[in-house]
């Protein structure tokens, strides 16, 4: 599991450069958009100035280990060439006729954002992942 203690090592392995309390990575093939992790302010920064959408900032801090998983996943999407303007964090929707709702950690859209290509639900390794996988196999989660 990625914890705050090993997060700097993970970032270095992913190619982030340490600049004081900030680990930063540029994506030149995507117009030089940047991701960064600010250890002083405990903030995860995504390329919002390149159209990246964040609907709920609960995944933009160091408070939950799952946030590090979301950050790593977005990094991998950008590395694979998905454009920041096609990625959305914490998209919400209503489920059925009830007042129940849901939100996905990461949604990825096609070029004109008319279709969702991927819905990604991030889980930490271990108990959280095992529990979610069991629910998925039982009834689709």
């Amino acid at each position: 599991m990625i914890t705050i203690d090993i997060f700097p090592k993970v970032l270095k392995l992913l190619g982030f450069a340490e600049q004081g309390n900030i680990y930063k990575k540029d994506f030149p093939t995507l117009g030089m958009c940047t991701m960064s992790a600010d250890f002083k302010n405990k903030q995860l920064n995504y390329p919002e100035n390149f159209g990246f959408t964040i609907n709920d900032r609960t995944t933009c801090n160091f408070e939950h280990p799952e946030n590090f998983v979301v950050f790593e996943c977005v990094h991998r999407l950008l590395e694979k060439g998905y454009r920041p303007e096609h990625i959305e964090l914490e998209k919400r929707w209503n489920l059925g006729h009830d007042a129940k709702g849901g939100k996905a950690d990461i949604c990825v859209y096609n070029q004109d954002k008319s279709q969702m290509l991927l819905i990604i639900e991030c889980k930490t390794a271990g108990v959280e992942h095992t529990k979610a996988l069991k629910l998925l196999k039982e009834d689709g989660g």
Side-chain angles (χ1 to χ4, degrees):
M1 177 177 358
I2 303 172
T3 63
I4 194 166
D5 296 330
I6 67 163
F7 192 41
K9 291 177 185 174
V10 171
L11 293 171
K12 286 180 182 177
L13 286 171
L14 296 175
F16 282 73
E18 183 179 359
Q19 299 172 347
N21 291 319
I22 297 174
Y23 287 75
K24 178 181 169 188
K25 183 167 182 179
D26 296 324
F27 297 85
T29 60
L30 299 173
M32 290 304 288
C33 72
T34 300
M35 288 181 71
S36 66
D38 181 340
F39 280 77
K40 181 180 178 185
N41 296 306
K42 296 186 176 5
Q43 290 293 311
L44 299 169
N45 302 302
Y46 296 92
E48 292 178 86
N49 57 333
F50 282 79
F52 189 94
T53 302
I54 301 173
N55 294 299
D56 185 340
R57 303 199 85 73
T58 57
T59 56
C60 297
N61 58 54
F62 285 27
E63 291 189 23
H64 305 286
E66 183 178 299
N67 295 353
F68 303 136
V69 179
V70 172
F71 193 79
E72 179 189 1
C73 186
V74 168
H75 165 267
R76 291 180 187 275
L77 289 168
L78 294 174
E79 281 279 301
K80 294 213 172 280
Y82 289 95
R83 302 199 53 80
E85 65 269 24
H86 300 144
I87 303 172
E88 184 173 356
L89 292 186
E90 302 297 327
K91 179 172 178 57
R92 295 179 183 269
W93 57 81
N94 292 329
L95 300 173
H97 298 290
D98 296 337
K100 289 183 179 181
K103 62 181 181 175
D105 291 325
I106 305 168
C107 293
V108 181
Y109 294 88
N110 65 351
Q111 253 185 327
D112 64 4
K113 291 190 88 169
S114 63
Q115 291 184 322
M116 194 180 300
L117 301 174
L118 305 169
I119 299 172
I120 302 170
E121 188 62 28
C122 297
K123 300 295 179 200
T124 57
V127 174
E128 186 183 28
H129 175 265
T130 302
K131 182 180 172 184
L133 185 59
K134 181 179 180 217
L135 286 173
L136 178 68
K137 289 178 179 180
E138 286 175 2
D139 68 1

